[in-house]
Amino acid sequence: MRRIHARRRTAVATAWITSLTGIAAISTLLSGSAAVAAPMQPTQAIKAVPAAAPQSGSAAGSLLTTEQCRAKWRIACYSAIQYRQAYDLNPLYRAGVTGKGRTIVIVDPFGSPTIQKDLDVYSARFGMKSTHVDVVKWGKVPRFDPTDEDQVAWAGEATLDVEMAHAVAPGARIVLAETGVGRIGDGTSGLREVMDAEKSLVDRGVGDVISQSWGVAENSFPGFRKGDFSSIENLRYAFKDAAKHGVTLVAASGDSGATDTTTDGKSHYPYRVNAWPTADPLVVSVGGTQLHLDSKGDRIAPDSVYNDAGAGGGGLSHVFSRPSYQNAAEQVVGDHRGTPDLSMSASLKGGAWVYSSYDPKHVGWDVYVGTSEASPLFAGIVALADQAAGHRLGDIHQALYSLYAQSSWNPSTGIVDVKDGTNNSYAGVTGYTAVKGYDMATGVGTIDAARFVPALAKQG
């Protein structure tokens, strides 16, 4: 996200991480092997640039294997090929389920001037056919300035979002909606512009699933301390419109565990908070896991909670009451909306290779992490399920939790519980532990796509 927190991006990192804390953590983990740029406005994105990242066009040769990343930086780096194996996507592709005929919408301020070129390079490197990225500008989008840290930060977010969505759903059309206001963490003009862009696309029939890799703490909205949540409610018009038109909404859960960054983005709330839009009942909240893979993408250990340079967001909303679809998780969430709903890869110790050239001083491959990665990954899953169903699935919450209710005895649901006892405590705030069943560290768990996609298509 971004502050509007780019739910954390980091060329070795992506998503909500707190700027100063995140930078220190990543610097320590990489032992000086990476230079770190200032945090971004998207969900508190930070970007750590691996020292090996090329400065010229011959970027593909700079990719390191998972073993090389572990030896050089003490983290794992994963490719699109490994993700496809880890999430059991290849059987779907062999059956022709690639997202063909469906459209994924990604909304990010400013966007990237090199998004098509970068996706083409990314696709070619991993043996995928590229797709055309339709860029839609909303509002007064300034000409890209590579010296503007805010624009550069959002360009990285947009690149991550597009490449991750394509990695999962290579046959889907991608629309990148660029808005002109980058600082949306105050919950006012910037967010309204994003909502206007989303509603316009929905009304025009553009998009089957919308991925949002950003968020703002509920506590940061005007009126929150007085119990007045109208500033959030008044922004939900795009989401209500999407629900009416059968468009699925997906959002990153954040990268600060059970807390989140304050309005100025320089610190964390010292207690449990949640964020919007991840906590919105109309939005599928996607948390973060750490994958433990070998060079082929096969698991060498079960997934655990993303908790290294950042931590997967999760907890209770202070604005929204428990929606009926979470009745099965009432013993965990009580009377409030709980997040996340499920989780995908987001850990620094299992980051994703991403190619970019929007910054002429840094062209090549970086490793990104955070729930900014998880959200577009799952948006790709939804596109696959839409194709399998032959229609939009819309709000999938009821179907998701229905499958969850069956998952303990029915492996064909494709829902894989994450229950290894790891947690999302972060920034001194005690989080939640991954246990059997639903929890606010990883939601219902993660997925085996070969089973989950057809099950979701049928249930939906």
Side-chain angles (χ1 to χ4, degrees):
M1 300 168 90
R2 254 196 130 179
R3 199 159 75 76
I4 222 193
H5 296 22
R7 256 45 175 127
R8 200 200 211 114
R9 205 198 40 124
T10 182
V12 162
T14 232
W16 276 15
I17 242 165
T18 286
S19 61
L20 297 179
T21 303
I23 288 174
I26 289 178
S27 296
T28 299
L29 283 169
L30 299 183
S31 299
S33 297
V36 184
M40 317 188 276
Q41 256 341 91
T43 297
Q44 218 36 98
I46 51 180
K47 179 178 180 180
V49 181
Q55 301 298 316
S56 67
S58 59
S62 74
L63 280 176
L64 303 183
T65 65
T66 299
E67 291 72 20
Q68 289 171 327
C69 285
R70 286 184 173 126
K72 187 177 183 63
W73 297 319
R74 289 181 291 172
I75 65 171
C77 307
Y78 299 140
S79 70
I81 296 171
Q82 288 168 287
Y83 281 140
R84 290 176 164 199
Q85 179 67 16
Y87 288 116
D88 200 14
L89 288 160
N90 293 314
L92 295 172
Y93 300 153
R94 289 194 291 269
V97 180
T98 64
K100 184 178 181 180
R102 315 318 300 186
T103 300
I104 300 170
V105 171
I106 292 163
V107 185
D108 284 316
F110 306 135
S112 166
T114 59
I115 193 63
Q116 185 65 63
K117 172 189 173 184
D118 294 345
L119 181 62
D120 292 346
V121 172
Y122 177 85
S123 300
R125 179 62 181 80
F126 298 122
M128 297 183 286
K129 182 179 179 180
S130 191
T131 189
H132 178 69
V133 180
D134 291 316
V135 176
V136 177
K137 296 184 182 295
W138 185 268
K140 296 181 179 179
V141 181
R143 183 173 181 175
F144 185 74
D145 178 1
T147 66
D148 186 313
E149 291 184 354
D150 200 31
Q151 290 187 40
V152 168
W154 278 111
E157 179 60 50
T159 305
L160 170 69
D161 292 346
V162 168
E163 292 181 7
M164 292 302 99
H166 184 63
V168 172
R173 174 192 177 197
I174 295 179
V175 174
L176 175 61
E178 303 175 350
T179 62
V181 179
R183 297 182 180 274
I184 54 184
D186 60 357
T188 53
S189 61
L191 275 176
R192 186 165 293 280
E193 188 173 77
V194 170
M195 291 300 100
D196 286 346
E198 291 189 10
K199 185 177 186 303
S200 175
L201 291 170
V202 169
D203 288 343
R204 286 184 283 155
V206 179
D208 301 300
V209 53
I210 299 175
S211 179
Q212 304 161 108
S213 289
W214 42 263
V216 181
E218 292 175 334
N219 305 54
S220 296
F221 281 85
F224 178 88
R225 291 184 178 181
K226 298 179 181 180
D228 177 6
F229 306 140
S230 60
S231 57
I232 293 179
E233 186 60 41
N234 291 338
L235 286 169
R236 302 184 70 223
Y237 54 90
F239 294 171
K240 294 175 181 179
D241 195 43
K244 183 173 68 174
H245 287 81
V247 176
T248 307
L249 298 164
V250 176
S253 72
D255 303 281
S256 298
T259 183
D260 203 347
T261 51
T262 54
T263 305
D264 61 9
K266 297 180 179 180
S267 60
H268 284 90
Y269 288 97
Y271 43 81
R272 292 175 172 178
V273 305
N274 212 314
W276 189 85
T278 180
D280 198 295
L282 294 175
V283 174
V284 178
S285 173
V286 186
T289 57
Q290 179 181 348
L291 294 177
H292 306 275
L293 310 177
D294 63 16
S295 60
K296 295 180 180 180
D298 291 320
R299 283 176 173 76
I300 55 179
D303 297 5
S304 53
V305 180
Y306 151 46
N307 193 339
D308 33 53
L316 297 174
S317 169
H318 291 83
V319 174
F320 300 103
S321 59
R322 185 187 76 247
S324 60
Y325 57 75
Q326 282 197 319
N327 286 347
E330 180 179 2
Q331 291 186 333
V332 178
V333 303
D335 295 331
H336 297 270
R337 158 71 161 140
T339 63
D341 291 309
L342 80 170
S343 297
M344 301 287 281
S345 179
S347 174
L348 173 63
K349 294 182 179 180
W353 281 112
V354 171
Y355 178 85
S356 68
S357 61
Y358 54 83
D359 182 352
K361 295 182 179 179
H362 179 73
V363 176
W365 294 89
D366 298 317
V367 177
Y368 282 63
V369 310
T371 55
S372 277
E373 172 192 350
S375 179
L377 285 175
F378 188 70
I381 295 294
V382 174
L384 298 179
D386 281 351
Q387 181 195 352
H391 58 81
R392 291 176 177 171
L393 295 177
D395 185 351
I396 67 168
H397 281 111
Q398 198 65 53
L400 175 66
Y401 282 90
S402 178
L403 292 174
Y404 159 67
Q406 307 170 41
S407 62
S408 62
W409 54 268
N410 182 7
S412 67
T413 63
I415 291 178
V416 181
D417 198 4
V418 178
K419 53 185 178 181
D420 70 338
T422 51
N423 65 71
N424 64 351
S425 297
Y426 187 72
V429 176
T430 300
Y432 303 90
T433 302
V435 296
K436 185 176 180 180
Y438 179 89
D439 56 67
M440 289 182 286
T442 62
V444 301
T446 188
I447 64 163
D448 175 327
R451 295 179 177 183
F452 179 77
V453 166
L456 181 62
K458 182 179 180 180
Q459 191 72 39

